[in-house]
Amino acid sequence: RSKSSYSNIFPGAHVKWEPFDGVLLRGSYNRSITRPNIISMLPTATVDDLNRRISVGNPELKPYLANNYDVSVERYFEPVGLVSVGVFRKDITQYFRSFSDVVPSGGIDGNGSYEGYTRTTSRNIGSARIRGIELNVQQQFRNLPGFWKGFGAFANFTYLEALGNFGSATISRRLPNMSPRTGNFGL
């Protein structure tokens, strides 16, 4: 049996300004929360005897909190089009991630249970900062004849840079499951 509670306030401020027709400037700040998977917090163990693995929940796992800052410039075109550039920064505290180790002699209970199994659990480990830039282009082809009329195209690209301080002597430049460059395009 486990119990946990917390109270947080998540303020936000968002501004939009149109200095010229078709040009928007946006700025934003907000505080957000990312809760871990409920399975990661349950005080239970899931055992895979065939592969000698055990996943153990951590009832002490806390959600991570982030201060988010965003600024963008958007230019809208006729008939229907857009070009935008945005920069952002996210400062994360109570960052959590999964860790794996081998269960030592004595096991997880002092009686040798699951000794030698690979154990996976999640822990809060420190802080992280992510910053990046986003580029976006969209255009609808309303002036094309026949079949092509109404089609459109889009493309976007995001570049991320991360710094993680997880209590060790080194600073991590990659966060788990983070792709530093992503892009999409379509017709």
Side-chain angles (χ1 to χ4, degrees):
R1 183 167 197 177
S2 179
K3 183 178 179 182
S4 178
S5 68
Y6 48 85
S7 297
N8 298 96
I9 296 174
F10 301 103
H14 311 277
V15 295
K16 176 179 77 170
W17 180 43
E18 187 173 1
F20 312 104
D21 279 347
V23 175
L24 287 180
L25 305 177
R26 296 181 192 264
S28 175
Y29 162 79
N30 69 75
R31 185 156 171 84
S32 63
I33 187 170
T34 300
R35 291 182 178 87
N37 228 313
I38 191 71
I39 278 294
S40 300
M41 298 185 304
L42 292 176
T44 59
T46 304
V47 179
D48 176 356
D49 287 317
L50 183 65
N51 295 305
R52 298 182 49 84
R53 297 182 180 276
I54 183 169
S55 296
V56 181
N58 178 358
E60 301 299 317
L61 197 59
K62 296 178 178 78
Y64 70 68
L65 305 171
N67 288 310
N68 307 291
Y69 309 89
D70 298 271
V71 176
S72 69
V73 177
E74 302 170 4
R75 174 71 170 108
Y76 291 87
F77 300 99
E78 291 295 334
V80 180
L82 161 71
V83 173
S84 68
V85 176
V87 294
F88 59 89
R89 177 174 163 162
K90 302 182 182 315
D91 296 322
I92 301 169
T93 58
Q94 296 180 177
Y95 186 78
F96 58 81
R97 63 175 268 212
S98 294
F99 289 91
S100 294
D101 65 351
V102 175
V103 177
S105 61
I108 63 170
D109 60 358
N111 294 320
S113 295
Y114 308 110
E115 181 178 321
Y117 278 50
T118 299
R119 171 178 46 195
T120 302
T121 191
S122 294
R123 295 192 306 246
N124 294 100
I125 57 170
S127 62
R129 181 184 72 208
I130 302 169
R131 60 185 178 184
I133 186 167
E134 301 170 312
L135 308 169
N136 182 33
V137 177
Q138 298 176 26
Q139 183 64 53
Q140 188 174 11
F141 306 134
R142 294 179 70 188
N143 295 330
L144 292 179
F147 175 79
W148 292 103
K149 186 175 185 165
F151 270 81
F154 70 90
N156 57 57
F157 176 77
T158 303
Y159 173 78
L160 300 175
E161 179 181 274
L163 292 173
N165 182 353
F166 306 134
S168 64
T170 61
I171 300 292
S172 175
R173 299 232 174 247
R174 301 254 347 223
L175 299 179
N177 302 318
M178 186 189 91
S179 296
R181 292 173 191 85
T182 58
N184 296 288
F185 65 91
L187 179 66

